[in-house]
């Protein structure tokens, strides 16, 4: 379903406005646009990104996703991600929990590793359905190329805003070294059986990694604004990606950058009757990178830590952080509420459990 044929986003639901950041101006190092990025990244941690150059490729990736999800379930399950903490591969609806009560999720998705795309046709982590391979050169690799460029430019701008030496964040996200970075294609079927619109299909969470580059066809993404306990929709805007900060950048920055909690529920209004599709590229640090504040490299970060009770030192590698969060969302690994808590990121405070 193209955006032009989908029902409009309704006007009577609570939405949270996001700043619109122009990628071309960030690329050109425009001072005012970089200040806008700083404001977005340090407050809500979410923003719209326009002029990113991926619009046509996004449409082709959605077409690929539709063909993948229409494959027989037994064929898709040959590429199932499993319960060991590996993210790459297929996940069927109901394989994950969305809360500490063990409520099952209602989305299916395929995750394609950045490493596997870059090393194609030789797998780095795993193989994928043949339909992915058939469009690797025409669709998947070109989309990844744009996403990597977007991430490189944004990381560079954030690197400078944090007062880090040039290339510091880039050195923590090296192509060719194993990471959890991936393309995710997600489908959620229409809500049925009279379930409420606010029943999460993807539970409240912060993102695992550094930066997200997300494209939505319908509403459903919600954010929880700090100091406000009301979930608010992020309205999809055609041609605009939604970008947000993840846990890794929050930790590296000593809390200056905000990894905000969000979730996915049914699309609002008439949109709830349609399949909801989303496509994202999720940039994550190299697996061996230790997640800790970079105060030794930036006086800006060091100063922020002086006023923080959290020293942002996880003693954990990016790979282990990612695998833990994936593993304990899986319903097959559930032993009780403690499993869900073990899957949490920087939004979770053990003393609040």
């Amino acid at each position: 379903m193209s955006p032009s044929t989908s029902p409009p986003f309704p006007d009577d639901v609570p939405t949270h406005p996001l700043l619109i950041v122009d990628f071309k101006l960030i690329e050109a190092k425009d001072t005012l646009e970089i200040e806008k990025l700083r404001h977005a990244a340090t407050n809500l941690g979410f923003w719209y990104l326009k002029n990113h150059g991926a619009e046509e490729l996004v449409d082709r990736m959605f077409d690929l996703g539709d063909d993948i999800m229409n494959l027989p379930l037994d064929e898709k399950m040959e590429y199932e991600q499993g319960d060991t903490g590996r993210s790459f591969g297929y996940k069927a609806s109901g394989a994950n929990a969305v809360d500490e009560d063990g409520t099952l999720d209602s989305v299916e998705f395929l995750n394609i590793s950045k490493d596997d795309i870059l090393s194609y046709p030789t797998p780095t982590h795993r193989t994928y359905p043949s339909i992915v391979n058939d469009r690797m050169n025409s669709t998947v690799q070109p989309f990844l190329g744009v996403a990597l460029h977007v991430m490189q430019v944004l990381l560079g701008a954030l690197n400078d805003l944090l007062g880090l030496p040039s290339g510091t964040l880039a050195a923590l996200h090296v192509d060719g070294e194993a990471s959890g970075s991936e393309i995710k294609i997600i489908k959620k079927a229409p809500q049925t059986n009279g379930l409420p619109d606010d029943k999460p299909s993807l539970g409240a969470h912060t993102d695992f990694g550094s930066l997200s580059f997300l494209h939505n066809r319908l509403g459903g993404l919600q954010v929880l604004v700090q100091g406000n306990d009301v979930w608010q929709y992020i309205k999809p805007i055609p041609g605009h990606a939604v970008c947000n900060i993840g846990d890794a950048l929050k930790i590296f920055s000593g809390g200056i950058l905000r990894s905000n909690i969000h979730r996915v529920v049914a699309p609002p209004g008439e949109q709830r009757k349609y399949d909801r599709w989303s496509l994202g590229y999720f940039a994550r640090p190299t697996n061996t990178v230790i997640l800790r504040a970079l105060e030794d490299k930036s006086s800006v970060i060091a100063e922020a830590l002086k006023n923080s009770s959290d020293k942002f030192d996880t003693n954990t590698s990016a790979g282990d952080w990612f695998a833990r969060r994936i593993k304990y969302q899986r319903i097959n690994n559930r032993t009780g509420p403690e499993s869900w808590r073990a899957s949490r990121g920087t939004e979770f405070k053990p003393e609040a459990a």
Side-chain angles (χ1 to χ4, degrees):
M1 178 182 65
S2 68
S4 62
T5 60
S6 62
F9 188 92
D11 297 325
D12 58 350
V13 297
T15 61
H16 189 80
L18 300 183
L19 291 174
I20 298 177
V21 174
D22 189 323
F23 176 73
K24 290 298 183 185
L25 291 179
I26 296 295
E27 197 173 27
K29 301 185 183 300
D30 180 87
T31 303
L32 292 178
E33 206 67 16
I34 289 175
E35 173 58 23
K36 190 187 298 184
L37 174 64
R38 184 203 63 78
H39 183 81
T42 58
N43 286 276
L44 185 66
F46 275 78
W47 62 92
Y48 294 116
L49 190 71
K50 69 177 183 179
N51 292 330
H52 48 70
E55 294 87 345
E56 180 185 349
L57 289 165
V58 167
D59 289 340
R60 283 152 54 184
M61 286 296 296
F62 276 126
D63 290 342
L64 171 62
D66 190 38
D67 290 339
I68 291 168
M69 299 311 170
N70 282 329
L71 293 172
L73 180 60
D74 59 352
E75 184 174 342
K76 290 183 287 189
M77 290 298 288
E78 293 177 15
Y79 302 92
E80 223 278 334
Q81 63 180 193
D83 298 317
T84 63
R86 180 174 69 171
S87 176
F88 314 130
Y90 173 74
K91 188 205 72 69
S93 176
N96 283 0
V98 300
D99 55 34
E100 67 176 30
D101 295 324
T103 305
L104 300 181
D105 77 311
S106 56
V107 300
E108 62 174 332
F109 57 68
L110 182 75
N111 294 336
I112 310 173
S113 162
K114 176 192 78 170
D115 304 332
D116 288 326
I117 299 170
L118 293 178
S119 67
Y120 181 80
T122 302
T124 296
H125 300 288
R126 66 161 309 140
T127 59
Y128 301 89
S130 60
I131 195 170
V132 174
N133 300 332
D134 292 343
R135 300 188 206 174
M136 184 64 72
N137 294 329
S138 65
T139 301
V140 180
Q141 288 176 332
F143 174 74
L144 176 66
V146 173
L148 289 178
H149 178 61
V150 168
M151 295 294 100
Q152 178 188 43
V153 171
L154 293 179
L155 283 173
L158 294 171
N159 186 99
D160 295 345
L161 289 171
L162 292 171
L164 291 164
S166 179
T168 299
L169 291 180
L172 303 177
H173 303 78
V174 178
D175 294 342
E177 295 186 14
S179 77
S181 299
E182 63 190 358
I183 294 172
K184 181 188 292 281
I185 308 171
I186 311 172
K187 177 186 178 183
K188 184 200 178 301
Q191 203 97 302
T192 57
N193 301 326
L195 293 173
D197 284 354
D198 62 355
K199 178 183 181 297
S201 56
L202 188 62
H205 66 286
T206 54
D207 278 351
F208 305 140
S210 297
L211 276 172
S212 303
F213 180 51
L214 184 67
H215 309 266
N216 293 310
R217 283 282 174 89
L218 298 176
L221 175 64
Q222 293 184 324
V223 295
L224 196 61
V225 181
Q226 190 172 22
N228 189 332
D229 60 359
V230 177
W231 287 98
Q232 296 178 307
Y233 283 98
I234 298 299
K235 181 179 180 179
I237 301 177
H240 290 57
V242 173
C243 291
N244 65 283
I245 302 293
D247 288 347
L249 283 188
K250 178 179 180 179
I251 295 166
F252 292 149
S253 70
I256 295 173
L257 303 180
R258 180 165 174 76
S259 179
N260 198 66
I261 191 166
H262 52 287
R263 69 178 187 178
V264 177
V265 298
E270 288 298 303
Q271 290 191 348
R272 78 189 310 272
K273 299 176 182 178
Y274 293 80
D275 290 336
R276 181 184 187 274
W277 289 92
S278 60
L279 165 71
Y281 177 71
F282 297 88
R284 299 176 179 125
T286 301
N287 284 343
T288 55
V289 168
I290 300 299
L291 297 180
R292 64 169 186 86
L294 302 176
E295 76 272 20
D296 57 327
K297 298 181 182 296
S298 165
S299 60
V300 176
I301 297 173
E303 187 64 29
L305 287 180
K306 289 181 181 179
N307 302 313
S308 174
S309 59
D310 188 339
K311 298 309 175 188
F312 297 97
D313 190 350
T314 67
N315 197 32
T316 300
S317 70
D320 288 345
W321 180 273
F322 184 40
R324 169 184 60 81
R325 297 197 61 186
I326 293 292
K327 181 176 181 179
Y328 290 107
Q329 289 183 11
R330 297 283 297 188
I331 199 65
N332 287 344
N333 292 326
R334 175 179 166 80
T335 58
E338 66 277 5
S339 301
W340 171 255
R341 295 168 190 163
S343 75
R344 299 298 79 200
T346 57
E347 86 284 6
F348 178 65
K349 303 298 182 186
E351 64 272 14

